[in-house]
Amino acid sequence: MKRREFILGAMAGGSALWLESNHGALGQKFLSLMPTLQSADSRIEVLTGEPIATIAPEIYGHFAEHLGGVIYDGIWVGENSKIPNIGGIRKSLVEAMQRIKPGVIRWPGGCFADSYNWRDGIGPKSQRARHTNFWRDASEWPKDAPDGPWKYETNQFGTDDFLRFCKLTGAQPYLAANLRSLSANDFDEWVEYCNSPPTTTTLAEVRAANGERDPAKVRFWGIGNESWGCGGNFTPEEYAAEYRRFTAWVPKFGVDLAFVGAGPNGGDLDWTRRFFIKLAERRAVGNMWGWALHHYSWNVSGGRTSDWRQGKGDALNYPDEEWYELLHEADRLESLITDHWNVMGEIDRTHRVRLVVDEWGAWYKPGTEANNTHLLGQQATIRDAVLAGQTLDTFQRHADKVGMASVAQLINCLQSLFIAHEDKFVLTPTYHVFDMYSVHQNAKAVRTVFSSPPLDYTRNGQPATMRGLAGSASLRGRQLVLTVTNPGLKGVRETEIVVRGAVIRSVGAITLAAGDIHTHNSFDDPHRIEPKPVAVAQNGNLIVHRFAAASVTRLDIDLS
Ligand code: AHR
């Protein structure tokens, strides 16, 4: 079963050398100029004179859907809870989020968005409507999962609560409109409720009566979600017509509204091409800020199956083959970005529209959720950290194309940064990667050249390879940050690092690594895996670093 079929079902109920493939002749030229170290087997060149683009803080985005334990038990614990909270929102979550400077949070879905009526989630909590949650009939529910707000939505967490959560964490809100089952007028009025100035409209007064006098000035709006599946099962042409209708006139209230279209499932270039052609027929490309791409890493079967359920592996117990297969799947994002970008450019020749990867992460089979109410909840190991690091690096290498992204999902679901149940709360290795990488935000991405031997592994009984080290770099003034993932399971990678166009003054490094590749944090052992400072050698303008196996590393390089 393919993912598209799964979503429809839910509705009803490498390279030889990294250098060669990414940087071609330019990289070869620089490498030939390099001093070499006898023992090093890998090299990284940072080309400070070759800027790519400013790294949008929105790349460091999150996703919170009304799905399983994300909202209820995750974010929202209720005002009267014994669990420390800020107006009902889990306090430890807010504090941890503040540390990583979240760029944006997407809400309320996902598939849930196209069944959600924003009016149900405003006003006195005791009077809010109860409705069947989109995910009520999902086949992944643990057998003994009880009824509750995760199955019958109580709307205790609505627009005002979400906007408050964003304000507390410092993130920009990114709201997903219901295109499948509400009208364009409902969408206009949601914008009006959030953004109209005090006292100007009835909805501004309703908002004030609900405790929010001032407008939230929400800029980012998703126009539906996965409209090829749960969001309406449209053809690209049908969706383009709906998109045009929803965005043709929306009240601005002085906000530079940024609309995001529901883009393809993974490599479906046909969806992108046909949508853009249809949009351009009515000169509506200018009404789009971003085009959303979803990519999950799930198939670890080594080519044995493409079935959506059979192809998945376990979050905690996996052989080496599944480690490599999963990370290999995540690496596909690089070609997905460039392929969709090229197709978009056939119509949008000046590339006004950015790519928005608003769902990405690892998706395992059920069984490791922290509680039976956490549909699609899963544990997270150092493998997820490497996946997160390589994905963020990929976005940064394409900072000129990717304007926003959100990892799926924030808490208690898929590749979470947090796992929580009642008063228990833990940071996952993915959280630590966001923490390590957040310093890249708003810095200038600069080109890097990685040369690292491919890694050998056995795939379905046959020899296979995966690329070696990969990463990205950014520059802010004289501060250079280089982040690197090593997916290799055996031995360290001794690496020469050269900075072109600048003189190195000093260097420091921190690493997230673990002796056992299944290492994870748990409620009982919450600090098992955390980033640690590591030694790094500098010799004039040459840095030599030993990248640990299965690791994510950040080097902080001061330039003079
Ligand atoms: O993140 C879980 C689900 O995956 C989302 O609701 C949907 O958009 C995607 O298929």
Side-chain angles (χ1 to χ4, degrees):
M1 183 192 268
K2 297 238 164 29
R3 184 161 163 269
R4 178 187 164 90
E5 290 162 18
F6 163 80
I7 295 297
L8 289 171
M11 285 159 60
S15 64
L17 261 188
W18 186 239
L19 167 71
E20 282 173 21
S21 65
N22 288 279
H23 305 281
L26 177 71
Q28 294 289 7
K29 186 176 137 212
F30 275 104
L31 281 181
S32 61
L33 297 173
M34 286 189 58
T36 50
L37 247 173
Q38 284 307 313
S39 54
D41 68 2
S42 298
R43 294 174 204 153
I44 303 169
E45 288 214 40
V46 182
L47 311 179
T48 60
E50 294 199 26
I52 301 168
T54 298
I55 295 168
E58 291 81 13
I59 285 176
Y60 287 81
H62 303 275
F63 173 31
E65 179 168 6
H66 288 244
L67 192 176
V70 179
I71 304 295
Y72 304 112
D73 204 23
I75 299 173
W76 181 256
V77 295
E79 289 113 323
N80 302 322
S81 171
K82 291 198 301 281
I83 301 163
N85 67 82
I86 307 171
I89 296 170
R90 188 183 285 274
K91 189 161 178 271
S92 48
L93 172 67
V94 170
E95 289 168 352
M97 289 283 281
Q98 286 168 345
R99 286 201 292 277
I100 58 170
K101 301 186 178 63
V104 72
I105 309 175
R106 178 175 182 243
W107 177 84
C111 291
F112 176 85
D114 277 298
S115 66
Y116 180 63
N117 188 336
W118 63 269
R119 287 190 178 82
D120 292 335
I122 59 170
K125 292 204 192 284
S126 60
Q127 290 167 28
R128 294 192 186 173
R130 226 171 329 124
H131 289 296
T132 310
N133 182 288
F134 172 90
W135 294 97
R136 164 71 184 77
D137 296 324
S139 59
E140 283 91 345
W141 278 108
K143 291 236 170 336
D144 49 354
D147 287 346
W150 38 87
K151 288 194 178 173
Y152 297 100
E153 175 61 53
T154 54
N155 286 297
Q156 295 303 288
F157 187 85
T159 301
D160 297 314
D161 308 285
F162 173 68
L163 294 176
R164 205 156 41 80
F165 179 48
C166 289
K167 222 186 253 175
L168 287 168
T169 58
Q172 287 200 69
Y174 168 26
L175 299 183
N178 178 345
L179 177 123
R180 177 175 67 82
S181 54
L182 286 186
S183 69
N185 187 52
D186 290 303
F187 173 47
D188 287 357
E189 290 187 357
W190 200 12
V191 177
E192 188 172 275
Y193 179 79
C194 295
N195 289 357
S196 60
T199 73
T200 57
T201 66
T202 303
L203 284 172
E205 286 179 351
V206 174
R207 186 186 68 220
N210 292 338
E212 301 293 340
R213 184 181 177 276
D214 294 326
K217 300 189 179 162
V218 178
R219 176 164 189 239
F220 295 111
W221 296 88
I223 310 301
N225 169 73
E226 297 197 345
S227 302
W228 40 263
C230 62
N233 197 13
F234 293 114
T235 65
E237 290 79 14
E238 288 165 346
Y239 173 61
E242 288 298 311
Y243 179 91
R244 290 198 313 244
R245 202 152 64 83
F246 267 63
T247 58
W249 183 91
V250 183
K252 289 201 168 53
F253 305 112
V255 178
D256 180 20
L257 298 178
F259 298 132
V260 179
N265 181 18
D268 188 357
L269 297 177
D270 194 46
W271 177 267
T272 295
R273 181 174 286 113
R274 285 168 55 190
F275 173 88
F276 271 80
I277 289 173
K278 202 69 192 168
L279 202 62
E281 277 177 12
R282 304 293 306 163
R283 294 178 301 284
V285 177
N287 241 3
M288 174 173 278
W289 180 86
W291 182 235
L293 162 68
H294 291 180
H295 176 59
Y296 286 101
S297 306
W298 58 275
N299 192 339
V300 291
S301 73
R304 294 169 183 89
T305 178
S306 57
D307 184 279
W308 173 244
R309 291 198 175 89
Q310 302 297 320
K312 297 207 193 80
D314 192 86
L316 286 180
N317 298 309
Y318 42 83
D320 290 1
E321 176 179 348
E322 290 188 13
W323 166 282
Y324 287 116
E325 285 295 295
L326 190 87
L327 298 181
H328 205 69
E329 282 252 303
D331 262 352
R332 279 188 55 221
L333 206 41
E334 181 112 33
S335 60
L336 291 176
I337 289 169
T338 51
D339 289 352
H340 284 287
W341 187 253
N342 290 339
V343 170
M344 288 156 71
E346 292 169 10
I347 304 290
D348 178 23
R349 293 197 181 279
T350 57
H351 279 301
R352 300 176 47 151
V353 181
R354 277 146 262 225
L355 268 168
V356 170
V357 186
D358 60 12
E359 290 187 30
W360 65 267
W363 192 323
Y364 305 115
K365 63 185 180 198
T368 61
E369 55 278 351
N371 185 255
N372 61 8
T373 58
H374 296 184
L375 175 69
L376 307 185
Q378 59 193 33
Q379 251 297 357
T381 68
I382 178 69
R383 179 173 60 164
D384 298 273
V386 175
L387 191 154
Q390 73 184 51
T391 301
L392 293 170
D393 283 325
T394 302
F395 295 155
Q396 292 176 168
R397 287 196 299 275
H398 295 280
D400 52 337
K401 308 177 187 71
V402 183
M404 182 153 83
S406 23
V407 56
Q409 296 198 12
L410 181 68
I411 181 166
N412 290 339
C413 184
L414 304 175
Q415 181 148 359
S416 303
L417 280 77
F418 311 95
I419 298 177
H421 176 51
E422 297 174 343
D423 60 346
K424 300 189 207 71
F425 177 77
V426 69
L427 310 177
T428 69
T430 297
Y431 172 87
H432 292 303
V433 172
F434 272 79
D435 195 11
M436 288 167 69
Y437 276 53
S438 70
V439 64
H440 278 299
Q441 293 185 26
N442 279 316
K444 185 82 74 189
V446 293
R447 207 158 305 280
T448 50
V449 180
F450 278 70
S451 169
S452 181
L455 304 160
D456 297 324
Y457 70 103
T458 304
R459 181 181 199 254
N460 196 3
Q462 300 295 318
T465 56
M466 163 148 194
R467 55 92 185 154
L469 302 180
S472 68
S474 72
L475 191 59
R476 188 197 317 269
R478 306 314 294 161
Q479 183 66 41
L480 179 69
V481 176
L482 172 66
T483 41
V484 179
T485 56
N486 181 8
L489 295 180
K490 292 188 193 85
V492 295
R493 277 258 178 264
E494 179 138 345
T495 305
E496 300 173 338
I497 302 166
V498 175
V499 177
R500 296 281 174 202
V503 175
I504 299 171
R505 216 169 63 185
S506 62
V507 59
I510 52 170
T511 297
L512 190 69
D516 177 352
I517 61 162
H518 309 99
T519 305
H520 57 280
N521 295 332
S522 63
F523 295 146
D524 296 334
D525 195 356
H527 303 293
R528 188 83 192 281
I529 170 166
E530 288 179 337
K532 301 214 165 33
V534 282
V536 51
Q538 180 196 348
N539 182 1
N541 229 29
L542 183 73
I543 295 168
V544 179
H545 190 62
R546 293 163 61 80
F547 290 97
S551 65
V552 182
T553 302
R554 186 184 86 203
L555 289 109
D556 297 307
I557 305 168
D558 279 331
L559 306 174
S560 49

